Amino acid sequence: MSDSDKAVAVCLGTILTDEPWRDFGFSRRPVYGAFFQRFRSKWRVKLEQTVLQQMFCALIAGYVVSGKASKESIDVSLVKYMSARGVATTAFGFSSQEECVRCLKSSIEEFVSSPPRQWSSVLSAHIRPDLLPDKKLAALIRLGCIQFGDIASSLILRLRNGADEV
């Protein structure tokens, strides 16, 4: 398994736990089957998918900026992992694997090209908490962007100092 494959696997594993979701004000990671998704608010489902996407991209960017994985090797690993059944379309909410890989690469590049201290702003620009109809949740998401942005940018230092994972 290459370093970039390990990075993608670790980042996917991390965002599928409850802890990072708590940063965004959720009590746990949202888990709903396809049947129940039809009965949930579309804006809520889209929010959860966007938060998932952006957490993943910020963590992956930490690996790239720290030098633990190259952007090119991450691109190859993204194609591999996003081709797994349902990952791109169900979990990440894209219409196809190609759209998923293209959008994730673009978001990762945006994080990589931004100073880490601005990653919370990048998260907020993608998640758009100001547009949420639930104002209490919007405030929690805004705070979550700040907290998770700080966590993701601190990952760079931990990785540079020898840590292998998030």
Side-chain angles (χ1 to χ4, degrees), residues 33-48:
F35 176 77
F36 289 105
Q37 289 289 35
R38 294 183 293 210
F39 301 108
R40 300 181 66 237
S41 305
K42 289 191 186 324
W43 69 265
R44 181 83 182 210
V45 172
K46 181 65 178 153
L47 168 67
E48 292 164 358

Side-chain angles (χ1 to χ4, degrees), residues 88-108:
T89 54
T90 304
F92 281 88
F94 292 101
S95 60
S96 67
Q97 176 202 358
E98 293 78 20
E99 178 192 21
C100 179
V101 170
R102 185 180 67 254
C103 290
L104 293 179
K105 283 181 183 181
S106 176
S107 286
I108 292 166

Side-chain angles (χ1 to χ4, degrees), residues 5-15 59 63 81 164-166:
D5 285 347
K6 288 178 193 170
V8 170
V10 166
C11 293
L12 282 171
T14 299
I15 63 173
L59 293 175
Y63 277 86
Y81 277 87
D164 289 327
E165 359 186 295
V166 176

Side-chain angles (χ1 to χ4, degrees), residues 47-109:
L47 168 67
E48 292 164 358
Q49 290 169 335
T50 303
V51 169
L52 181 78
Q53 295 162 14
Q54 295 309 306
M55 284 193 300
F56 177 72
C57 291
L59 293 175
I60 288 291
Y63 277 86
V64 173
V65 172
S66 71
K68 286 284 187 178
S70 72
K71 191 174 150 338
E72 295 76 23
S73 64
I74 288 291
D75 290 349
V76 171
S77 294
L78 277 178
V79 170
K80 184 187 314 180
Y81 277 87
M82 294 306 135
S83 66
R85 186 172 161 247
V87 172
T89 54
T90 304
F92 281 88
F94 292 101
S95 60
S96 67
Q97 176 202 358
E98 293 78 20
E99 178 192 21
C100 179
V101 170
R102 185 180 67 254
C103 290
L104 293 179
K105 283 181 183 181
S106 176
S107 286
I108 292 166
E109 179 56 38

Side-chain angles (χ1 to χ4, degrees), residues 96-154:
S96 67
Q97 176 202 358
E98 293 78 20
E99 178 192 21
C100 179
V101 170
R102 185 180 67 254
C103 290
L104 293 179
K105 283 181 183 181
S106 176
S107 286
I108 292 166
E109 179 56 38
E110 192 171 349
F111 281 104
V112 168
S113 64
S114 300
R117 68 183 173 280
Q118 292 179 358
W119 285 10
S120 59
S121 297
V122 175
L123 282 165
S124 188
H126 284 275
I127 296 172
R128 303 292 309 265
D130 52 313
L131 299 179
L132 296 177
D134 180 334
K135 297 308 171 194
K136 182 180 177 188
L137 179 59
L140 292 171
I141 298 292
R142 234 180 262 107
L143 179 60
C145 288
I146 294 166
Q147 290 175 329
F148 195 81
D150 289 346
I151 289 167
S153 64
S154 71

